[in-house]
């Protein structure tokens, strides 16, 4: 069944009325999420205009912010070795969120809630479950990355090892406070706005999934086949999870946990810059990353389908009881 046939919104601003198809493999209304920007009066140029607004609303404040942090705190977005550096990079990316909101509201004339879920509302419970599932799933990836870095000296400092609490604690605080917003921004832009925008041009969902995933890969440094495969697999897996659950909450949770665990692990040795600029990944690193992603996505998909089935059963039972009364 073609999801687009049941996911047209009659007028802008009424995305909550998207009809969920029950037989298309997307439980709980997931089929509607990629098509929330497809409305009765959609024009082909709207996604292009929306992208222009996103870049404009993001680019100017981000440039000003980085200049301020660089002047006042000495932040260097290319270095990523201090708390100020991490804050500058994280907030620069996080400002993509208001850019995406502006595109949806000003160009598509929709409520910003369409970026989060088919219901138009955030589902905190799904985010919490996503964090709980992703944390153990990504531990092997972190151990693999630690082993890889332990076997190789830092090409800049010439050594590898613990940087000490005095240097680590401010860096850790910046990572924990800022990087979740950076990860959320990437999901809102790539699995959210860009996927929904491309889906206005297609009758099937996978061209939008592939296009947004390739754009996700393009903004990350890629130096070998394993790192390319890892980033592409992650992008497609996050799309699958978003589509199946009808929103971004679970994908944001996985992305936040992935980034936090990985960056904290390499920050302990002061090697964030090396990891971000030289993203070469060996077979063990690539397999543990993709394996952890697959396990987390499959577990959350199962949990969501099981929960949706229970909700339907309870609703049907309540309706039968009311009818019998």
């Amino acid at each position: 069944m073609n999801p687009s046939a049941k996911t047209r919104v009659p007028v802008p601003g009424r995305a909550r009325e998207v009809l969920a198809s029950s037989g298309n493999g997307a439980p709980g209304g997931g089929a509607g999420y990629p098509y929330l920007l497809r409305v009765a009066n959609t024009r082909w140029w709207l996604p292009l205009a929306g992208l222009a607004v996103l870049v404009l609303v993001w680019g100017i404040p981000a440039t000003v912010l980085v200049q301020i942090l660089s002047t006042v705190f000495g932040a260097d977005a290319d270095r990523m070795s201090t708390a100020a550096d991490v804050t500058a990079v994280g907030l620069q990316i996080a400002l993509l969120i208001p850019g995406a909101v502006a595109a949806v509201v000003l160009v598509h004339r929709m409520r910003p809630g369409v970026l989060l879920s088919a219901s138009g509302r955030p589902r905190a419970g799904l985010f919490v479950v996503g964090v709980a599932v992703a944390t153990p799933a990504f531990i092997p990836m972190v151990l693999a990355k630690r082993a890889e870095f332990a076997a190789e000296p830092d090409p800049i400092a010439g050594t590898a090892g613990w940087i000490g609490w005095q240097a680590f604690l401010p860096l850790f605080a910046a990572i924990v406070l800022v990087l979740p917003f950076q990860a959320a921004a990437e999901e809102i832009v790539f699995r959210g706005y860009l996927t929904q925008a491309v889906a206005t041009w297609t009758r099937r969902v996978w061209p939008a999934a592939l296009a947004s995933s390739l754009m996700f890969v393009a903004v990350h440094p890629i130096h070998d086949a394993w790192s390319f495969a890892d980033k592409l697999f992650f992008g497609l897996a996050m799309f699958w999870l978003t589509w199946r659950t009808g929103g971004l909450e679970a994908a944001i949770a996985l992305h936040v946990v992935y980034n936090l665990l990985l960056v904290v692990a390499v920050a302990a040795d002061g090697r964030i810059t090396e990891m971000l600029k030289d993203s070469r990944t060996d077979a063990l690193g690539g397999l543990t990353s993709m394996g952890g992603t697959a396990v987390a996505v499959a577990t959350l998909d199962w949990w969501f389908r099981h929960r949706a089935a229970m909700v339907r059963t309870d609703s049907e039972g309540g309706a039968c009881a009311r009818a019998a009364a």
Side-chain angles (χ1 to χ4, degrees):
M1 181 180 293
N2 181 7
S4 65
K6 284 196 170 186
T7 54
R8 290 186 180 274
V9 182
V11 295
R14 299 182 65 186
R16 292 183 185 179
E17 298 180 9
V18 173
L19 300 176
S21 178
S22 59
N24 54 14
Y33 179 80
Y35 296 97
L36 291 181
L37 296 183
R38 178 181 289 188
V39 296
N41 61 343
T42 296
R43 299 292 182 265
W44 68 266
W45 48 266
L46 284 178
L48 300 178
L51 182 60
V53 169
L54 189 158
V55 172
L56 183 64
V57 172
W58 162 71
I60 297 175
T63 302
V64 172
L65 175 67
V66 170
Q67 289 298 321
I68 292 174
L69 292 176
S70 176
T71 302
V72 178
F73 299 103
D76 185 348
D78 294 326
R79 187 177 56 199
M80 290 288 287
S81 59
T82 68
D85 301 341
V86 172
T87 301
V89 173
L91 291 182
Q92 182 182 31
I93 298 174
L95 285 173
L96 285 166
I97 296 176
V101 170
V104 167
V105 174
L106 299 179
V107 177
H108 296 273
R109 305 286 298 278
M110 303 284 282
R111 298 187 182 97
V114 301
L115 288 170
L116 283 178
S117 70
S119 68
R121 301 183 303 270
R123 297 165 294 176
L126 186 54
F127 177 84
V128 172
V129 173
V131 170
V133 168
T135 301
F138 288 134
I139 292 298
M141 173 198 67
V142 173
L143 296 177
K145 180 59 70 173
R146 290 286 299 168
E148 177 187 343
F149 272 28
E152 300 178 358
D154 187 333
I156 300 175
T159 59
W162 169 242
I163 62 175
W165 288 109
Q166 186 176 1
F168 178 72
L169 286 179
L171 194 57
F172 176 79
I175 291 169
V176 171
L177 292 175
V178 176
L179 287 198
F181 295 99
Q182 170 259 325
E186 292 188 11
E187 291 303 316
I188 288 172
V189 170
F190 290 100
R191 257 64 67 184
Y193 181 72
L194 291 178
T195 297
Q196 292 175 338
V198 175
T200 65
W201 294 331
T202 65
R203 295 187 61 82
R204 295 185 180 275
V205 73
W206 288 108
L210 183 60
S212 62
S213 297
L214 288 174
M215 285 186 278
F216 176 74
V217 173
V219 301
H220 290 82
I222 302 296
H223 292 97
D224 57 29
W226 279 112
S227 59
F228 175 84
D230 182 27
K231 292 296 186 295
L232 181 60
F233 182 82
F234 187 85
L236 290 172
M238 293 306 99
F239 165 78
W240 173 262
L241 188 59
T242 298
W243 182 46
R244 296 281 285 177
T245 61
L248 292 176
E249 298 92 344
I252 290 175
L254 264 64
H255 202 150
V256 168
V257 172
Y258 185 103
N259 283 9
L260 285 180
L261 290 179
L262 188 58
V263 175
V264 168
V266 299
D269 292 335
R271 300 175 73 171
I272 303 177
T273 302
E274 178 186 349
M275 181 192 70
L276 295 179
K277 289 192 172 184
D278 184 3
S279 64
R280 285 176 292 184
T281 303
D282 58 14
L284 180 61
L287 290 174
T288 54
S289 176
M290 289 186 283
T293 300
V295 168
V297 169
T299 302
L300 283 168
D301 184 21
W302 172 86
W303 176 85
F304 189 80
R305 284 188 291 110
H306 179 71
R307 178 175 174 271
M310 291 181 62
V311 170
R312 284 197 299 269
T313 301
D314 291 343
S315 300
E316 292 169 359
C320 290
R322 287 192 297 273

